[in-house]
Amino acid sequence: MTLAAVMRALDGPLAVEEIELNPTGPGQVRVRLAAAGVCHSDLSLANGTLRQPLPAVLGHEGAGVVVEVGAGVTGIAPGDHVVLNWSPPCRSCWYCEHGEPYLCLHGDDAARVPFATSGDEPVYAGLGTGAFAAETVVGAHACIPVPADIPLAEAALLGCAVLTGVGAVTNAAKVQPGQSVAVIGLGGVGLAAIQGARLAGASAIVAVDPSPTKEELALSLGATHFMAPGNKLAREIRGLTGGIGADHAIECVGRGETIRSAWSVTRRGGTATVVGLGSAMDPVQFNALEVAFFARTIVGCMYGSTDPAVDVPILLEHYRAGRLNLAALVTDEVSLSGVGEAFSRMRDGRGARTLVRFA
Ligand code: APR
Ligand code: ZN
Ligand code: ZN
């Protein structure tokens, strides 16, 4: 039996209960979690913004130690330290064969089938990962090995926030040295995007969030300016950029209004990269003149347009060289029973990442 935070109803409490993980099947790996970050996508799955079969164990930003491997698994063994990939590519579909593994047709296969039982009931793993549990069972291709000297609590953040935020800047937006970047929304993902902009050599890095408590952390991670969202934002950003607007905006909230704002703060010919995952009921509006006139590009971005197998080692090099601050993204630590309080903080825009730590 494995302790897990189980969600039985939309917006319901996450009760810490014993579940029975499925046996580790062929090609699968059982992992003992060391830490799991609470991401806004977990909250979106919990409140119905994103679809989730129930009952479910959420959590998709995890790292831990392999405890068992199934038949046919090679290259990974008990004792190995791993970061979990919540969209593991099949390596053989059209997207995988065309260099876009983050759009793999099978990336969500594991989310569609139960990974455990509770009594007679099947239990699903949020984003196929189920990291709010002491142990989980995932495909071997969802495990990215990390060297044993990397603290697992920091490695966990690579699994979603950092791959997504840094990847959005370097892989999707492809920010060039000297360019100006506005990052809208300063949770774990946006604060990672700020670090990505710094790594890319951006000149001005404007951090945007309604919560003034985010300013200090954003500036310490590389932002050059902090601004509140609102009607004046585009004008204020033009004021910083010779009157033209930002070369890039990175949207890390997931709302129609902020996607629209990301587009509006860029210069003519600029690029807005949308990382946030919002509701299918929340529209984004453009008028028929401005799209052609401003000649901007809007880019959607899944998982930072990364291949975790390739990009996690690159991020670890930045980490080792002191260029990527993972620990600073964690503002709260809780046990398994604390996911609900992490959701409350997130709803209020308080703190950055909450990390669930396993004893
Ligand atoms: N303008 C700018 N920032 C905003 C606005 C707004 N109008 N409204 C909210 N925010 C800020 C919040 O104050 C918070 O700091 O956006 C931030 C969101 O942070 P988190 O809730 O911690 O979200 P995070 O986990 O970083 O994910 C961001 O990326 O992967 C997706 O599903 C995820 O859509 C979510 C987004
Ligand atoms: Zn996430
Ligand atoms: Zn594929």
Side-chain angles (χ1 to χ4, degrees):
M1 297 292 259
T2 298
L3 268 188
V6 182
M7 182 176 83
R8 295 187 178 276
L10 280 187
D11 270 329
L14 303 187
V16 178
E17 299 173 13
E18 301 267 12
I19 58 170
E20 189 76 58
L21 291 175
N22 291 347
T24 310
Q28 289 191 315
V29 172
R30 184 165 168 139
V31 176
R32 189 172 65 241
L33 273 298
V38 182
C39 175
H40 203 105
S41 299
D42 293 311
L43 177 56
S44 296
L45 292 162
N47 67 21
T49 303
L50 303 175
R51 253 194 314 223
Q52 174 63 56
L54 297 173
V57 175
L58 302 176
H60 60 275
E61 187 177 271
V65 181
V66 173
V67 289
E68 188 183 24
V69 301
V73 171
T74 54
I76 196 157
D80 287 355
H81 289 198
V82 294
V83 171
L84 300 178
N85 174 353
W86 56 259
S87 181
C90 73
R91 307 286 179 202
S92 61
C93 74
W94 190 91
Y95 290 101
C96 285
E97 289 193 337
H98 288 77
E100 296 180 342
Y102 41 87
L103 302 180
C104 174
L105 291 171
H106 300 285
D108 65 349
D109 280 1
R112 297 165 181 274
V113 292
F115 84 129
T117 50
S118 166
D120 293 338
E121 252 183 320
V123 178
Y124 293 84
L127 301 190
T129 308
F132 296 155
E135 296 190 4
T136 188
V137 175
V138 296
H141 62 325
C143 293
I144 312 295
V146 293
D149 64 323
I150 303 284
L152 284 169
E154 294 181 49
L157 300 168
L158 296 174
C160 188
V162 179
L163 274 172
T164 303
V166 175
V169 172
T170 57
N171 295 15
K174 296 190 168 66
V175 169
Q176 299 300 305
Q179 289 192 313
S180 53
V181 181
V183 176
I184 299 183
L186 305 175
V189 176
L191 291 167
I194 284 183
Q195 299 200 60
R198 179 172 44 72
L199 287 168
S203 51
I205 304 175
V206 184
V208 180
D209 202 287
S211 169
T213 61
K214 306 275 175 160
E215 176 168 4
E216 194 183 332
L217 189 51
L219 294 177
S220 77
L221 294 176
T224 55
H225 302 79
F226 177 85
M227 293 180 183
N231 296 338
K232 295 191 194 135
L233 181 66
R235 202 177 328 135
E236 283 174 358
I237 290 183
R238 283 198 298 276
L240 275 182
T241 51
I244 63 168
D247 294 306
H248 288 275
I250 314 291
E251 197 274 356
C252 304
V253 184
R255 287 168 46 188
E257 184 193 340
T258 42
I259 292 169
R260 169 69 219 200
S261 171
W263 196 80
S264 301
V265 302
T266 61
R267 62 170 170 83
R268 279 182 92 175
T271 302
T273 301
V274 179
V275 177
L277 273 177
S279 159
M281 312 304 288
D282 186 7
V284 188
Q285 289 200 331
F286 301 93
N287 69 51
L289 172 63
E290 61 186 349
V291 177
F293 179 79
F294 286 107
R296 292 165 171 141
T297 303
I298 186 161
V299 181
C301 175
M302 285 299 291
Y303 217 163
S305 305
T306 60
D307 181 341
V310 173
D311 289 282
V312 164
I314 294 172
L315 292 169
L316 285 173
E317 286 308 311
H318 287 307
Y319 169 79
R320 283 193 194 282
R323 293 186 294 262
L324 183 63
N325 190 341
L326 298 174
L329 299 177
V330 179
T331 49
D332 298 274
E333 292 195 1
V334 295
S335 65
L336 254 186
S337 60
V339 177
E341 79 185 57
F343 284 168
S344 306
R345 274 194 289 275
M346 205 168 248
R347 279 189 213 98
D348 300 343
R350 282 183 288 129
R353 266 301 187 257
T354 296
L355 203 63
V356 177
R357 293 291 290 261
F358 298 86

